[in-house]
């Protein structure tokens, strides 16, 4: 499972505060915690600071990478922000994200073409959010075709089929899950990724829904998630789901998690 | 009381019995206008309040709204001209560059449930589209939605332009990143953090 740690996002109050106060120690602390908890990438988002996003994203990346070697996921639709971020980033960054929305696609593609960057690609277009698995497959196919034609190998593509709240339409989760399965079998070597908070919007005990949804998606082949890597119950669920879907030889990861005390929250 | 059973049917999401309850209430002499006001609309107000208190959740709000709509469709031909007069006309849409419609749709559904005439102009709406709809519908209120931090700028621009071109219309804004502070800053007349609150706010604005 590839984990993108979601905590360093300015729409979270403590991070917005840290950015405003230029509190680099707080950012470093969170980065260290995310990395130690197993994040493969650390998402960096300063989108709420219109006009200062570039400056702040660079500041965040520099601070994060002064304490960890983990690459960042640069979370912005703006190619100028991404270019500036890449100028200070060490290692191979992830770009979060491109989509089929024409302006975003046309402006971002030249920045990422023929690089070894990892790219999150959202299954949405100017026609809006996808409703059905077929909508998602159509968009995924256009994204994979466009990205590979621009020299991005399929193994560096992370398709986000985009999940919508099951509270507003009970078919939304299942259409997403079907799409994950079809994308993973249709494009060998590709990755699928998603965030978890949308699915549970409008319902109580959202955290529990998010957990079960993650497990179901892993069952369909999902291999990357944008989550809080410090969530002990989520980590235990993800490890166990991978074991149960045949991705954990001799149950080694499960047993290692056990020995490291990763299930102690159950006691 | 016969209207009470109409009210109850909405709160119990009883889409299959709502028409029968309305027929019974009217057979017992209830006036169609009263069934609408004290049965359907009053029930949706209660739904909104329960939602705001965290007792009802989004799917229940949608289910109640469907029941209300089934009842309203049956009731419409029975309403006299004056009784079917709406609380007001509202144009609603998601701002330019933003394709998210779930929050906007919930607000539209609750406003309809509250007795407003709602004209939904969809997502990714240019300012001109808002202005045209406001003028064509002679709208009392316009509601703008934005889900992304990146489209809050578009919201600000649209609000300013609408205020210039349609000085008589009340402007309401909402969406995940939008706050009362931001609404005040861009000169909107109303803000709500949820769909039920939007109905209350819309009524407040029209009451003056």
């Amino acid at each position: 499972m590839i984990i993108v740690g979601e905590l360093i996002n300015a729409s979270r109050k403590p991070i917005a505060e840290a950015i405003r106060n230029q509190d680099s120690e707080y950012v470093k602390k969170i980065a260290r915690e995310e990395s130690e908890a197993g994040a493969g990438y650390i998402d960096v988002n300063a989108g709420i600071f219109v006009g200062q996003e570039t400056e702040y994203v660079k500041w965040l990346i520099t601070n994060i990478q002064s304490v960890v070697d983990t690459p960042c996921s640069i979370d912005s639709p703006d190619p100028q922000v991404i270019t500036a971020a890449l100028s200070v980033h060490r290692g191979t960054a992830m770009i979060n994200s491109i989509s089929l929305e024409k302006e975003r696609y046309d402006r971002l593609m030249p920045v990422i073409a023929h690089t070894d960057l990892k790219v999150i690609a959202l299954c949405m277009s100017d026609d809006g959010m996808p409703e059905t698995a077929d909508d998602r497959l159509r968009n995924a196919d256009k994204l994979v075709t466009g990205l590979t034609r621009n020299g991005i190998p399929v193994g560096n593509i992370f398709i986000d089929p985009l999940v919508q709240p099951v509270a507003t339409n009970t078919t939304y989760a299942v259409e997403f899950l079907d799409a994950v399965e079809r994308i993973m079998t249709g494009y060998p070597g590709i990755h699928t990724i998603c965030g978890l908070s949308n699915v549970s919007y409008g319902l109580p005990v959202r955290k529990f829904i998010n957990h079960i949804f993650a497990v179901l998606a892993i069952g369909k082949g999902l291999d990357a998630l944008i989550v809080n890597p410090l969530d002990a119950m989520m980590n235990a669920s993800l490890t166990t789901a991978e074991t149960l879907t045949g991705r954990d030889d001799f149950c080694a990861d499960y047993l290692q998690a056990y020995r490291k005390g990763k299930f102690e929250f159950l006691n | 009381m016969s209207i009470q059973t109409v009210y109850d049917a909405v709160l119990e999401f009883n889409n299959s019995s709502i028409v029968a309850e309305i027929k019974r209430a009217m057979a017992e002499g209830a006036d169609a206008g009263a069934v609408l006001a004290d049965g359907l609309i009053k029930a949706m107000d209660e739904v909104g309040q329960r939602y705001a208190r965290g007792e009802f959740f989004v799917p229940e709000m949608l289910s109640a709204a469907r029941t209300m709509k089934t009842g309203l469709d049956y009731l419409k031909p029975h309403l006299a001209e004056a009784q079917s007069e709406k609380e007001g006309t509202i144009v609603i849409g998601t701002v330019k560059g933003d394709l998210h419609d779930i929050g906007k749709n919930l607000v539209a559904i609750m406003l309809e449930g509250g007795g407003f005439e709602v004209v939904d102009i969809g997502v990714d709406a240019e300012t001109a589209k808002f202005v045209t709809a406001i003028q064509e519908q002679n709208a009392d209120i316009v509601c703008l939605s934005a889900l992304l931090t990146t489209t809050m700028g578009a919201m600000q621009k649209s609000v300013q332009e609408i205020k210039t071109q349609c000085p008589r219309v009340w402007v309401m804004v909402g969406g995940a990143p939008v706050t009362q502070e931001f609404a005040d800053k861009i000169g909107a007349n109303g803000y709500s953090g949820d769909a039920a609150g939007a109905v209350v706010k819309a009524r407040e604005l029209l009451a003056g």
Side-chain angles (χ1 to χ4, degrees):
Chain A
M1 205 70 201
I2 299 163
I3 300 295
V4 179
E6 69 182 4
L7 296 177
I8 302 185
N9 185 322
S11 53
R12 295 179 63 251
K13 280 214 178 86
I15 295 295
E17 279 301 294
I19 292 173
R20 268 194 207 98
N21 304 330
Q22 295 286 289
D23 178 359
S24 55
E25 288 314 308
Y26 183 75
V27 172
K28 289 178 189 170
K29 173 177 166 277
I30 300 293
R32 237 185 255 115
E33 286 174 0
E34 290 198 286
S35 181
E36 281 162 15
Y41 295 85
I42 294 178
D43 197 69
V44 177
N45 181 320
I48 65 161
F49 294 103
V50 179
Q52 289 157 297
E53 187 184 3
T54 303
E55 177 197 339
Y56 288 158
V57 164
K58 283 167 73 177
W59 179 81
L60 287 169
I61 292 173
T62 308
N63 278 295
I64 292 165
Q65 293 201 323
S66 73
V67 289
V68 298
D69 292 326
T70 313
C72 293
S73 153
I74 302 165
D75 189 351
S76 172
D78 184 340
Q80 283 169 333
V81 172
I82 290 169
T83 305
L86 289 172
S87 73
V88 298
H89 185 273
R90 285 188 290 109
T92 307
M94 178 178 269
I95 305 303
N96 182 12
S97 50
I98 196 166
S99 77
L100 290 171
E101 292 162 274
K102 192 169 185 327
E103 196 188 334
R104 185 170 184 168
Y105 183 93
D106 289 347
R107 292 179 63 213
L108 195 50
M109 192 59 92
V111 176
I112 59 178
H114 305 287
T115 64
D116 59 354
L117 294 164
K118 313 287 178 185
V119 181
I120 297 180
L122 311 179
C123 285
M124 69 189 292
S125 69
D126 288 323
D127 297 330
M129 298 281 285
E131 296 260 327
T132 63
D134 285 344
D135 290 345
R136 291 177 169 86
L137 261 292
R138 254 192 310 277
N139 288 342
D141 191 67
K142 285 183 195 156
L143 286 162
V144 173
T145 305
L147 288 164
T148 50
R149 198 177 286 154
N150 281 279
I152 313 272
V154 75
N156 287 348
I157 301 173
F158 290 70
I159 297 284
D160 185 341
L162 293 174
V163 68
Q164 298 205 65
V166 74
T168 59
N169 185 333
T170 41
T171 65
Y172 278 161
V174 70
E175 294 289 336
F176 172 96
L177 295 168
D178 286 350
V180 168
E181 184 164 47
R182 289 166 62 187
I183 292 164
M184 292 306 269
T185 49
Y187 306 92
I190 204 164
H191 303 280
T192 42
I193 189 165
C194 70
L196 290 175
S197 54
N198 281 351
V199 69
S200 56
Y201 168 81
L203 289 168
V205 207
R206 292 182 65 174
K207 195 174 161 172
F208 197 69
I209 298 176
N210 298 346
H211 269 88
I212 303 296
F213 180 71
V215 170
L216 289 172
I218 293 169
K220 296 288 190 180
L222 188 95
D223 64 350
L225 273 170
I226 306 170
V227 286
N228 172 5
L230 309 184
D231 180 339
M233 179 167 148
M234 180 63 84
N235 288 336
S237 299
L238 299 183
T239 303
T240 309
E242 291 215 283
T243 305
L244 292 173
T245 48
R247 298 188 228 164
D248 182 12
D249 283 349
F250 295 99
C251 307
D253 291 343
Y254 182 87
L255 291 170
Q256 189 187 37
Y258 163 72
R259 293 207 170 87
K260 282 185 167 172
K262 302 289 187 190
F263 296 100
E264 279 170 13
F265 72 97
L266 287 167
N267 296 337
Chain B
M1 266 298 293
S2 47
I3 291 179
Q4 181 68 35
T5 60
V6 173
Y7 175 93
D8 291 344
V10 174
L11 283 175
E12 288 160 11
F13 327 120
N14 212 332
N15 192 50
S16 58
S17 80
I18 186 79
V19 170
E21 297 299 350
I22 291 173
K23 280 181 183 166
R24 185 184 320 163
M26 289 173 66
E28 288 172 15
D31 170 69
V35 173
L36 175 64
D38 300 330
L40 299 178
I41 292 177
K42 202 171 151 200
M44 285 305 289
D45 286 349
E46 177 63 19
V47 169
Q49 284 167 25
R50 289 190 193 183
Y51 175 73
R53 290 199 299 266
E55 293 164 21
F56 270 6
F57 297 94
V58 167
E60 294 171 318
M61 199 157 81
L62 294 174
S63 189
R66 181 181 66 155
T67 306
M68 194 272 187
K69 181 130 200 329
T70 302
L72 186 61
D73 287 346
Y74 172 77
L75 205 55
K76 263 183 190 160
H78 299 279
L79 291 167
E81 195 69 18
Q83 289 170 326
S84 64
E85 200 167 278
K86 297 281 182 174
E87 289 227 23
T89 301
I90 300 182
V91 167
I92 188 168
T94 304
V95 300
K96 178 74 192 151
D98 203 324
L99 299 169
H100 295 86
D101 63 356
I102 283 173
K104 183 260 299 166
N105 292 348
L106 289 176
V107 173
I109 285 166
M110 287 308 282
L111 288 170
E112 269 171 353
F116 290 93
E117 174 79 31
V118 177
V119 180
D120 188 343
I121 60 168
V123 297
D124 194 19
E126 304 264 10
T127 306
K129 201 171 175 187
F130 279 104
V131 170
T132 307
I134 293 164
Q135 289 167 346
E136 279 178 8
Q137 308 291 334
N138 194 20
D140 303 289
I141 298 176
V142 59
C143 296
L144 295 89
S145 167
L147 188 89
L148 304 170
T149 50
T150 49
T151 51
M152 290 168 79
M155 174 178 271
Q156 178 162 13
K157 255 194 237 160
S158 285
V159 168
Q160 281 160 354
E161 192 65 18
I162 289 167
K163 295 231 116 194
T164 316
Q165 295 198 34
C166 314
R168 276 182 48 256
V169 78
W170 296 107
V171 178
M172 288 174 53
V173 294
V178 180
T179 58
Q180 181 69 58
E181 188 190 349
F182 180 74
D184 293 341
K185 188 183 130 196
I186 67 173
N189 305 102
Y191 159 80
S192 168
D194 65 59
V199 180
V200 176
K201 183 51 81 178
R203 287 196 186 129
E204 269 175 34
L205 288 174
L206 293 190

